Amino acid sequence: MPRSALRNSLWILISLGLVAALAPLAYANQLLLFNFIVFMVLAQGVNILYGFTGYLPFGYVGFFGAGAYGFALAVMHLHTGPWVALGAGALASVLFGCVLTPLLRLSGAYFAIANLAASLAIAEVVSNPALTDLTQGPYGVSLADTFAPTLSYGAAVAILLLTTACVLVLRYATLGLALQAVRDDPISAAMAGIPVVRTRILAWLLSALVAGLIGANFAWYVSVFYPDNVFSPDFSIFALVFALFGGVGTVLGPILGVLLLYGLYNTIGISAPQYFQLIYGLLIMVLVLFLPNGLASLLRRWGIHVI
Amino acid sequence: MLAYAILAGILFGLYFSLVGLGLNLVFGVMRIVNLAHGDFVMLGALLAGALYGAYAISPVLAAVISLIVFIIIGFPLYYLLVPRLLQAPDPEMLSIILFFGFSQVIESVTTIVAGPSERSIPGRAMGTQPVHILGQTFPAAWVWSAVASAIAVLLVFLYLYRTRVGRLTRAVMADRHEALASGIDVGRISGLAFGIGLGLAAVAGAFAPFMLGGISPASGVSLTIQSFTVIIVGSLGSPLGTVLGGLIYGISIMLMQTYLSSWAALLPYLLLIAILLVRPSGLLGHEVRHA
């Protein structure tokens, strides 16, 4: 790794960590700040998969929900502490990713739709009244014992840094180049000696891992939630749109996307949801038609280098 | 009970073929995924409901009206969205996001104009006498909706296989670039196919209140997923496959509801994933799997 890359990475991680950790001191609504972190992690997770492999995870929320329910099940049935439960959430999500690995054989729209169906299927299983003994079914989960907002906020900052570090590694290390080569032309990449299947599965499970971690963290932070909350398709869509708006395949693009769009959402979205949905839908359409490579490509055109 | 489930499955299967057909036509001709398909079904349902409520117009006539209205809307819409999209580096993927945005726009505008409440049409709009088929009794609305769907599907096949424009449409489906090279006005053919796709969605919508229950502006997403299941079980881009997919989907839904009702909602998703993994091209499709 060249020295400039190392310097950039440290600079990004330190400033991101400081801002995220100190923001609650300057701004009282900690839940909102927490949601910003959640979406930054999810947008980066989408970035890992879509930006570096070209697979569009249209049901990305499946991993998030699997993480949240992994956390909840560990706390409810195994009576573990929150840190072990975080691990359980990540494990649940990675296992779900392993089960879905065969989906990577599909290409293009087929993968996106199969992934969407998979996320709806796991949501349907978790919220099925027949499983009330195990998951509380549609009646939701309450985890009052582990409730600790400040501590779990700190954990979210750590997960954000971990995720960003993963994207930095992909951006600067050979692995990221290998993934991008596979994305652009799998056959040539295979001829150049890149283990196509293994690198793809690695990116897929990495992206499942970060979504599962932040999902578990979400369960810890909010402590009371319903299947509809943690499996809401909005998570997939928002994460995708934020990542695309900022620019996939870059490190700062998705973070920028979350700051701008989620900021916009909170300024106008709460008071008039229908009008917000309208503006949001139009924004997505304009984005795809006129700026398909995101804000990063626009900034690059103006001569500003986006890492 | 088995005979009832299978016959009801065939009725619903015919209807589901119609629900998926428009989506498949658009994908087959343009290679783009119209994620707003379910919203057009929803619009058709609301339009039919409004026509029945205000002028007591029968849903069958409402279906014909909405077919014409949406073909006329679809043509300019095509020129507004699709040519620009097809220039992008990865149109198939970006279309998913573009039409997701479009579906949000439709849902919000409909909510603002018509309110968020659920609408339905009373079953007597389609006849009051229950119909007996092979010793089983079904509500008249089911049977006539299925018959109307079958007629609509048949008309689409006549269009595709017996008219000049239909032959050109199939040429574009087979190979867009060669169609262009042999002098076919690909833009106009695609625009027409786009309009017909939206129109068919709206026609399916006119019968949705009888087959699927009340429809609200937020119903679009689940309708889109059901349509996807149907056309992927059949195969993406193949109209005949859609009919097969619709029948399989309808019959399996009815069997699930009869014998295992608490897990019935899971079926479309599992069927979708299973078919994609075993035969990603669908039951009638050609090879599509890459790398």
Side-chain angles (χ1 to χ4, degrees), chain B residues 71-86:
Chain B
I71 289 177
I72 294 170
I73 294 176
F75 211 67
L77 205 57
Y78 169 84
Y79 283 101
L80 198 65
L81 298 179
V82 182
R84 219 189 149 87
L85 178 70
L86 291 181

Side-chain angles (χ1 to χ4, degrees), chain A residues 54 58 105-107 109-110 113-114 116-118 120-121 124 128 237 244 274 277-278 281-282 284-285 289-290, chain B residues 35 84 92-93 96-97 100-101 104-105 107-108 225 228 236 262-263 265-266 269 272-273 276-277 280 289-290:
Chain A
F58 218 64
R105 292 189 305 189
L106 305 169
S107 64
Y110 294 85
I113 293 158
L116 178 63
L120 292 167
E124 195 65 51
N128 198 300
I237 305 298
L244 277 174
Q274 280 111 42
Q277 197 182 27
L278 176 63
L282 286 173
I284 294 174
M285 293 176 74
L289 289 179
F290 296 98
Chain B
L35 216 62
R84 219 189 149 87
E92 197 176 304
M93 285 299 205
I96 296 182
I97 302 165
F100 170 76
Q104 296 289 296
V105 171
E107 189 182 322
S108 59
I225 297 277
F228 267 117
L236 271 181
S262 71
W263 295 96
L266 200 59
Y269 314 130
L272 187 63
I273 297 169
L276 276 174
L277 287 178
R289 190 180 282 175
H290 300 299

